[in-house]
Structure formats: C-alpha cells, structure tokens
Amino acid sequence: LPLSRIRVIMKSSPEVSSINQDALFLTAKATELFVQYLATYSYKHGRGKEKNALTYSDLSHTAEECETFQFLADILPKKILASKYLKMLEKEKRDGEVGEDDEEEEEEDEDE
C-alpha cells in the first residue's frame, strides 16, 4: 500500500500530531495482512472456489456472517436490486401506517 496515502489517513485524525516512520510502515504492513486475511477467508468460505474468483458478494457475505468481520457489515452491505429496495420501502411505509393507526385506536380506547 502507498505509504503517502496511509500517512494522509493517519494525519486526518485530530489526535495525531506527528507520525514516526516505523509506525507508518507497521500500519501499512498490518493493513496489508488484514486485507489478505479478509480476501483469503472470503474466497475459502464463499463461492470463489467454484468460479476461481473473489467477488463483492463473497466479501459482503463474510462481513455479515463471520463474527470477526462484523464491523465491516455497514461498509460492505449486500447488493440488492433497486426494484427490491423500492418494494421494501413501500412495505415499511405500509407497516408504519398500520402501526400508527393501531396506536391511535389504543389512545382513543384509553380516553373512553
């Protein structure tokens, strides 16, 4: 990984005033090892072996299913079609309206 990019990312933190060259190198190496581990794990536990390729869906499945990589679930969400997403939004909207109507009826019953 480019050390200059890692330095920029590290300096973006307000707590960091100066960066030791050794710390920069070790951060780069640790990042490389983490990415390698994530890719290898995703390849072995995904459909990558069948296709001889690592796909985004393998990575997102790993982030969702493996406890070690749970912190990546928001960064690597599962891909869904726009039509499915719109259907989900409509369903949530309908469920929300039904829930609000039920709450209003309960409040009216309590008032009586």
Side-chain angles (χ1 to χ4, degrees), residues 34 37-38 41 45 59-73:
F34 172 76
Y37 180 69
L38 172 63
Y41 186 93
H45 293 89
L59 293 170
S60 66
H61 180 74
T62 297
E64 191 174 291
E65 300 297 324
C66 181
E67 196 171 312
T68 305
F69 300 109
Q70 282 287 308
F71 70 99
L72 295 173

Side-chain angles (χ1 to χ4, degrees), residues 46-47 51 54-63 77-79:
R47 289 185 239 137
K51 298 178 182 177
L54 179 64
T55 63
Y56 178 86
S57 62
D58 294 335
L59 293 170
S60 66
H61 180 74
T62 297
K78 283 197 171 216
K79 287 185 177 181

Side-chain angles (χ1 to χ4, degrees), residues 11-111:
K11 283 196 170 200
S12 69
S13 174
E15 292 94 29
V16 176
S17 57
S18 65
I19 300 169
N20 184 338
Q21 191 65 24
D22 292 337
L24 181 64
F25 176 77
L26 290 175
T27 302
K29 189 65 178 170
T31 304
E32 288 176 14
L33 291 173
F34 172 76
V35 170
Q36 180 181 8
Y37 180 69
L38 172 63
T40 305
Y41 186 93
S42 298
Y43 180 80
K44 287 181 181 177
H45 293 89
R47 289 185 239 137
K49 289 185 288 189
E50 300 165 8
K51 298 178 182 177
N52 233 9
L54 179 64
T55 63
Y56 178 86
S57 62
D58 294 335
L59 293 170
S60 66
H61 180 74
T62 297
E64 191 174 291
E65 300 297 324
C66 181
E67 196 171 312
T68 305
F69 300 109
Q70 282 287 308
F71 70 99
L72 295 173
D74 292 337
I75 298 169
L76 294 168
K78 283 197 171 216
K79 287 185 177 181
I80 60 171
L81 297 174
S83 58
K84 286 185 181 180
Y85 181 70
L86 291 173
K87 287 178 184 176
M88 286 173 38
L89 287 177
E90 288 175 11
K91 183 179 178 188
E92 287 179 10
K93 187 176 179 182
R94 278 184 277 148
D95 291 346
E97 289 174 357
V98 171
E100 291 173 7
D101 292 343
D102 291 342
E103 290 173 8
E104 290 174 5
E105 289 175 8
E106 290 174 9
E107 290 174 6
E108 289 175 6
D109 292 339
E110 290 174 5
D111 290 341

